[in-house]
Every structure is written in structure tokens, then in C-alpha cells.
Amino acid sequence: MRKRLVVALMGVAAVMLLVFGIPLASFVAKVERERLITALERDAFILAGHAKETLNTSAGSSLPSLQPYIAEHSASKGARVLVTNALGLVVASNDPTLTVGSNFSNRPEVATALTGIPAVGERSSRTLGQRLVFVAVPVFLGDEVLGVVRFSSPQSRIDQEVRDRVLGIVLAGFFTLLVAGALAIPFALGIARPITRLTRRTEKLADGDFSVRADDSSGPPELRELSRSFNVMAGRLGLMVENQKQFAGSVSHQLRTPLTALRLRLEQAQMALGDGSPDAAHAIEASRAETDRLQEMVEQLLALARIEGGTAATVTVDAALIAHSRIEMWDSLASERNVSLTITAPGQALCAGIDGALEQIIDNYIDNALGVAPDDSTIALVVARDASHVSVDVIDEGPGLSEEQRSRAFERFWRGQHTENSPGTGLGLAIVRQLAVASGGTTELLPRSDGQIGLVARVTLTAR
Ligand SMILES: Nc1ncnc2c1ncn2[C@@H]1O[C@H](COP(=O)(O)OP(=O)(O)O)[C@@H](O)[C@H]1O
Ligand SMILES: [Mg+2]
């Protein structure tokens, strides 16, 4: 988060630099080029002013008296300077290799200047073998052209100066980027830290700790606002869960008492009837069974409500150990029904789960399996683990369930046809699913993988 913010801020700075920097650099390059040429032009005109006197008074082919001026105006620019007379013959130059009297009238810019028009431009020079930038200005006396002053500089030199300028801008850009980075880090920290803190609190809330509160007194205003909303939400949620728990508790209490009383009355009625009226006794017996069912349903509904509103934390449990203990618990009941229980499990299978949840889940699965297991069949418990998960399968040899039935079996109150007339509430698997979800796991019903009829009831939890 922090890194991404810094990168984003630097990215924005870089884009801004590119968007503004590229046009700026090309503008600066253009201005700099023009400035250099204008400087050459200005020097050429000044030198032309001096040359006017000399060219006018002296008719000689060489004009050494101009030399100091030439030196003065060309030293800093590194330009090649030459002065011609009206015929285009060189009379003075700062280039010692240039012989006085050389004819320059064939150079286009000199020819143009000799007609009285200053010439500025660039061309390749055959003599020097490179591109030249030149300025040639006429030396006037009245309307008469006495000669030409020409400044020339290799294009590469001008390019170099322009490049230096642009490089300056690029360096300034990099510096800006560095400063942006240095500013971005504390800024990003300032935003990221409180968000990370708030994320931790949200995770705690999601884990069921409703007492958690966010710090709404520091950080950016938007975040303080968010923290305040978080606190209101956490408070409300806590209250709701608390209310639900209280409701579940009191309903449990309120329903249990009359149900127990009802059951007692039915027993009394049965005793009072004696053996006299078998039909009535039968009816009362059936009512007692229904009362038991109602009682179980109330208990299970309350259990569901407790799990759903629950805040129990997960602990580390050993699925192998639990599976063994469940087998022991159910063994006698199973053998009463001529069903054998077997178990396949690793020495240990540690996983996350709410305390007591896996026991209840396996009990429900075995209870269902026993309900449908034919005589002399086997119910197999298989505990398996890999790096990330632990699963417990309860596999029976009963009639199994179709795909559509398997997908509905975890719904509350859903019961299959073959169990419709047996005791039960249709809530067992709903409780199983809630317990698994609260433990951070999943449940599923599958056909047997060996092609035999029967059902595989599976719970999968996170390995620890
Ligand atoms: N091992 C099983 N084999 C076949 N059907 C099953 C099995 N386990 C569950 N069922 C079906 O799923 C229904 C719902 O199960 P459950 O929620 O435990 O409710 P109950 O056991 O009270 O009927 C059962 O009524 C039964 O029809
Ligand atoms: Mg059941």
C-alpha cells in the first residue's frame, strides 16, 4: 500500500515532467539556437561598424588594424570571423590558416551581403566538411557596400550549446523527481499507516470481536470520518449480536418450561388411563413422541441461532483424535443395529475449528448414516490431510441421495422421502454447515467414489 502510493505519486510527478518538460525542452532548444545566432549577428554588425572606418580609409589588401576588434568579438564565441572588401577578397580574419586575398565572393551568403542584404542561415561547407551556421552582414558607407563581415560557427558547436541547455532542464527534472519522491514517502506513510491500522481492526471485527474500535481522532479527515462510521457499525453489530443471543437464551428458557410441563401432563394422562383404553393410550404415546420432536427442534433452532450470532474464536483441534473418540461413543449403538464402524486416520490431523464443532459435525453425520445404514453394513470414517486442508468423510452404504437432493440437504427443515417417517427435524445438516462455516471450513455430500450406493458426508477444515 505504502509502496504503491509512493510509486503512484512519483509516477504523477514523472508524467507531469514529461508533459511539461518535453515541450519546454524543445522550446528552450529553439530559443537557445535563435539566441546564439542573434549573438553572432549582433557581433557581426558591431564589427561591421568598426570595419567601415578601416575599409573606407585603407585601400590595402590586408587590414591588420581590424585584428584586435576581430579578436575581441570572436574569442568568447569560438566563431570563425572574416572580413572581405567590396570584391569579396579576404582582408582580415581570426583564422591564421586563411590567406589574405582569398576570394569569398562565391560563397552564397557573402555574395548576398555584397548586394547589401544581411544573410543568416546554415549550409554545409565543402572546405570544412561540416555544416556551418553563418551570419554575413554588409559593411555600408552610405549606400555603398565596402565589404562583408562574416561570422561562421560549426553547426555541431551550436548543437552542443543547445544540448547543454536542454541537459540542464533534464537534470532539473530529475532533481524535481527526487524531491517528489522524498516528499511522497512521508506523505504515503501518513495515509497508509492509519489505513493499515483500520484494516487490522476490520479483520478483528470480522473475526467476531465487537469490542474493537478505530482511532477516529488522528489521520486525514476522510479517514477519521471512516473510522467514526466503523465505530458506529461495530457498536451496532455488537448490540445486535448481544440482543440475538439474549433472545435465543430467553426463548430457550420460555419454551423449555411449557414443553417439559406438557410432556409431564401427557405422562400423567397415560398413567391415569391405565390399560383401559388402548386407542387413547396410543394417541397419547404419539403426542409424547411429537412433544419430544418439538423439544429437539427448539433446542436445535436455538443452537443454530447461537452459532450464527456466535463470536467463538477458532482453536486448533486434532481431527484424528476427535474421529477416534466419536467412533468409541457410537460403537455400542451401531453394533446394536448390526452396523460396524471403521476408521482410517493419520496419527494426527491438526486443523482450525470452533471448540466442540467437529464433534457435533461428525455426530450428526454418523447419526444420519446410522439412520439409513442397512443391516450388516459398514460406516467408514476417513480422516485425510494435505498441506492446507484436513477432511473427515463419513461414508455409509445406505440409499444415498440424488444430486438435486444432495444440494438441498443442508437447507433448514429439508428431509428426504426415506426419512420422512423417522424421527428427526431436518435441522441436523443445517447446523453442521453453520458449525463448519463458523470454523472457517466447508461441508459437502458426495456420491461414493467406488461406485457403490451410499453417501459420503464430508467436512473440510483449514490445516494447522
Ligand atoms: N447419509 C445419508 N444418506 C441418505 N440420506 C441422508 C443422509 N444424511 C442425510 N440424509 C438426508 O438428508 C436429510 C436431512 O438431514 P438432517 O438435516 O440431518 O435432518 P434429519 O436427520 O433430522 O432428517 C435427511 O432427512 C435425509 O433424508
Ligand atoms: Mg440428522
Side-chain angles (χ1 to χ4, degrees):
M1 156 95 184
R2 196 178 344 136
K3 246 187 240 154
R4 257 179 293 152
L5 248 160
V6 172
V7 170
L9 285 171
M10 299 270 293
V12 169
V15 167
M16 298 249 295
L17 278 175
L18 285 181
V19 166
F20 291 110
I22 290 176
L24 181 67
S26 78
F27 176 71
V28 166
K30 190 166 159 258
V31 168
E32 181 62 11
R33 200 175 291 276
E34 277 168 12
R35 192 187 68 80
L36 288 169
I37 291 172
T38 311
L40 281 182
E41 224 174 346
R42 189 197 56 217
D43 286 346
F45 274 114
I46 293 173
L47 189 57
H50 292 301
K52 176 161 67 182
E53 317 283 311
T54 332
L55 278 172
N56 191 26
T57 53
S58 165
S61 57
S62 166
L63 285 177
S65 55
L66 261 180
Q67 220 61 34
Y69 294 116
I70 290 176
E72 183 190 328
H73 288 284
S74 62
S76 58
K77 311 281 173 347
R80 188 171 182 248
V81 183
L82 58 87
V83 180
T84 72
N85 60 16
L87 297 172
L89 304 176
V90 174
V91 293
S93 168
N94 67 344
D95 182 357
T97 61
L98 198 64
T99 24
V100 169
S102 307
N103 189 355
F104 265 68
S105 61
N106 59 349
R107 309 295 199 276
E109 69 279 4
V110 175
T112 311
L114 281 175
T115 64
I117 300 163
V120 176
E122 52 186 75
R123 64 172 170 83
S124 18
S125 152
R126 237 171 301 136
T127 344
L128 300 172
Q130 57 181 336
R131 281 192 75 75
L132 283 184
V133 172
F134 58 79
V135 169
V137 299
V139 179
F140 277 117
L141 186 70
D143 282 346
E144 191 189 345
V145 177
L146 297 180
V148 169
V149 170
R150 191 191 86 161
F151 275 59
S152 62
S153 187
Q155 173 89 46
S156 56
R157 237 190 83 91
I158 303 232
D159 286 348
Q160 183 58 47
E161 287 195 33
V162 169
R163 263 202 298 277
D164 288 351
R165 275 299 156 102
V166 172
L167 190 70
I169 290 182
V170 171
L171 285 180
F174 269 117
F175 183 70
T176 314
L177 210 58
L178 281 182
V179 172
L183 291 178
I185 290 168
F187 178 67
L189 276 179
I191 292 185
R193 253 195 225 125
I195 288 184
T196 313
R197 268 205 301 269
L198 191 56
T199 310
R200 299 268 168 288
R201 307 270 153 95
T202 314
E203 282 163 3
K204 267 192 154 179
L205 184 72
D207 281 345
D209 179 358
F210 297 102
S211 67
V212 67
R213 292 292 179 273
D215 172 14
D216 58 4
S217 58
S218 63
E222 293 82 0
L223 219 66
R224 284 210 295 267
E225 186 69 24
L226 187 62
S227 299
R228 265 195 290 280
S229 306
F230 174 89
N231 290 344
V232 172
M233 178 184 74
R236 287 240 174 97
L237 273 176
L239 204 69
M240 268 166 63
V241 168
E242 193 50 42
N243 282 346
Q244 196 176 357
K245 260 199 259 176
Q246 271 179 11
F247 175 75
S250 62
V251 166
S252 151
H253 187 73
Q254 298 296 324
L255 282 178
R256 246 183 226 141
T257 322
L259 274 174
T260 317
L262 181 60
R263 203 173 184 286
L264 238 135
R265 291 280 159 84
L266 286 169
E267 266 171 34
Q268 286 168 352
Q270 209 165 24
M271 284 201 311
L273 267 174
D275 297 335
S277 170
D279 282 352
H282 188 73
I284 290 177
E285 178 54 40
S287 307
R288 256 181 59 177
E290 283 304 309
T291 317
D292 286 348
R293 210 160 86 89
L294 192 58
Q295 200 151 15
E296 194 191 340
M297 201 176 278
V298 167
E299 295 296 340
Q300 288 191 327
L301 273 174
L302 291 171
L304 259 179
R306 271 197 299 273
I307 308 164
E308 280 163 9
T311 57
T314 56
V315 293
T316 300
V317 297
D318 181 359
L321 193 74
I322 291 173
H324 277 291
S325 80
R326 292 297 94 196
I327 291 274
E328 234 169 80
M329 214 298 276
W330 285 93
D331 208 40
S332 54
L333 195 70
S335 48
E336 252 175 48
R337 298 199 197 161
N338 287 328
V339 173
S340 50
L341 292 177
T342 66
I343 177 162
T344 315
Q348 205 179 39
L350 297 183
C351 55
I354 287 173
D355 198 22
L358 189 55
E359 286 89 338
Q360 277 192 65
I361 292 172
I362 297 177
D363 282 353
N364 266 297
Y365 280 165
I366 296 181
D367 186 36
N368 284 346
L370 268 178
V372 295
D375 265 4
D376 296 322
S377 68
T378 302
I379 295 174
L381 248 75
V382 178
V383 182
R385 65 161 304 156
D386 62 24
S388 51
H389 294 103
V390 167
S391 66
V392 180
D393 289 357
V394 178
I395 308 164
D396 65 54
E397 295 171 15
L401 290 172
S402 71
E403 197 181 334
E404 196 253 333
Q405 290 172 325
R406 286 200 305 272
S407 68
R408 297 200 54 194
F410 287 103
E411 288 173 13
R412 286 174 191 202
F413 301 114
W414 186 87
R415 308 194 70 207
Q417 302 107 334
H418 50 269
T419 43
E420 249 163 8
N421 299 316
S422 59
T425 58
L427 288 169
L429 290 181
I431 291 177
V432 162
R433 171 150 289 177
Q434 289 300 332
L435 284 168
V437 168
S439 299
T442 55
T443 55
E444 56 195 326
L445 298 179
L446 304 159
R448 284 177 62 134
S449 57
D450 54 10
Q452 308 229 30
I453 57 160
L455 193 75
V456 179
R458 175 175 296 169
V459 55
T460 308
L461 297 169
T462 312
R464 273 200 176 157

